[in-house]
Amino acid sequence: KAGVTQTPRYLIKTRGQQVTLSCSPISGHRSVSWYQQTPGQGLQFLFEYFSETQRNKGNFPGRFSGRQFSNSRSEMNVSTLELGDSALYLCASSLGGQASDTQYFGPGTRLTVL
Amino acid sequence: DAKTTQPTSMDCAEGRAANLPCNHSTISGNEYVYWYRQIHSQGPQYIIHGLKNNETNEMASLIITEDRKSSTLILPHATLRDTAVYYCIVRRLDAGNNRKLIWGLGTSLAVNP
């Protein structure tokens, strides 16, 4: 079974631009979560989607948004990029039905904002 | 939310067992302990998880104390490829079946030849 895939793997943008990142979950997984990882901060939870609905959200500004499609693929968008948005953005998928189900991560998208 | 405390770094000789401790003294009854590792800025890789009983899989063993306030991840025969940052996470269950994993900074394990 193919793992979680994320595109693009690397991205360079300038301040003020916007960016869209894509995540394809493991086949059969309906939950997709997004995380931001920066040095010294660890993984910070952005949001989770399940069956095309956002069902949990972290403490990030409204510039960060996401959506999920009927095939469970998910995108996240960051508008008006700031230098501090430079990070590794990780997507994780899970079956989504049970409280204890395990999240599996993709390789991440490395975003650099200049 | 239950938080975890892990040593910042550890060393282990190749072929020996690596024992990575984690303290989660505020864990509540329905929270699971999860372990992931991250190799060189790749995505975190799931290793193992448990609720109260010890668990073992092909990658590692998880030992949870009886009071559930701490746990130890054991890599029985560490190899150079096990060099990574290891995260111990307590899974919080929110209302409505929402959930978030609370991540710390993990333990950087160096396996030495």
Side-chain angles (χ1 to χ4, degrees):
Chain A
K1 202 183 254 191
V4 178
T5 58
Q6 292 186 246
T7 56
R9 292 293 312 278
Y10 301 91
L11 207 49
I12 299 175
K13 292 286 188 179
T14 57
R15 279 182 300 173
Q17 288 187 308
Q18 74 167 26
V19 66
T20 299
L21 312 181
S22 181
C23 171
S24 292
I26 291 171
S27 177
H29 285 193
R30 296 166 63 193
S31 170
V32 173
S33 296
W34 288 90
Y35 295 82
Q36 180 195 66
Q37 185 176 31
T38 54
Q41 287 279 331
L43 272 76
Q44 305 284 315
F45 174 80
L46 281 155
F47 28 66
E48 179 197 2
Y49 285 86
F50 178 77
S51 293
E52 302 179 65
T53 301
Q54 186 184 89
R55 68 176 181 180
N56 214 347
K57 191 177 187 304
N59 298 319
F60 277 81
R63 300 185 297 107
F64 293 82
S65 63
R67 60 178 175 167
Q68 187 179 34
F69 302 95
S70 59
N71 62 358
S72 295
R73 190 178 70 85
S74 177
E75 289 181 347
M76 68 162 280
N77 184 77
V78 188
S79 61
T80 320
L81 285 166
E82 301 176 359
L83 295 179
D85 296 332
S86 293
L88 180 67
Y89 289 89
L90 293 159
C91 160
S93 79
S94 67
L95 289 169
Q98 299 293 325
S100 63
D101 70 355
T102 300
Q103 292 189 331
Y104 296 90
F105 285 81
T109 294
R110 172 77 62 187
L111 172 65
T112 301
V113 182
L114 302 176
Chain B
D1 300 336
K3 298 291 193 294
T4 61
T5 304
Q6 299 177 254
T8 303
S9 63
M10 293 183 65
D11 288 311
C12 177
E14 189 177 18
R16 305 295 294 270
N19 297 292
L20 293 90
C22 180
N23 181 288
H24 31 79
S25 57
T26 59
I27 193 170
S28 56
N30 63 350
E31 290 178 313
Y32 290 78
V33 179
Y34 272 76
W35 284 83
Y36 284 82
R37 72 180 182 184
Q38 190 171 26
I39 298 172
H40 194 50
S41 290
Q42 298 174 19
Q45 177 189 22
Y46 166 76
I47 300 174
I48 198 167
H49 74 282
L51 184 61
K52 55 178 80 171
N53 297 321
N54 298 338
E55 302 288 344
T56 296
N57 63 20
E58 65 278 3
M59 288 182 68
S61 295
L62 173 61
I63 309 298
I64 302 174
T65 58
E66 193 169 341
D67 62 7
R68 303 212 319 125
K69 293 186 176 185
S70 66
S71 62
T72 301
L73 178 75
I74 301 172
L75 308 178
H77 305 287
T79 70
L80 298 179
R81 288 180 295 179
D82 292 323
T83 293
V85 177
Y86 287 77
Y87 295 97
C88 167
I89 299 128
V90 173
R91 185 186 202 112
R92 191 185 85 179
L93 177 62
D94 292 333
N97 204 31
N98 295 335
R99 57 207 183 275
K100 292 182 279 190
L101 298 180
I102 312 298
W103 296 75
L105 294 179
T107 296
S108 180
L109 174 69
V111 180
N112 304 309

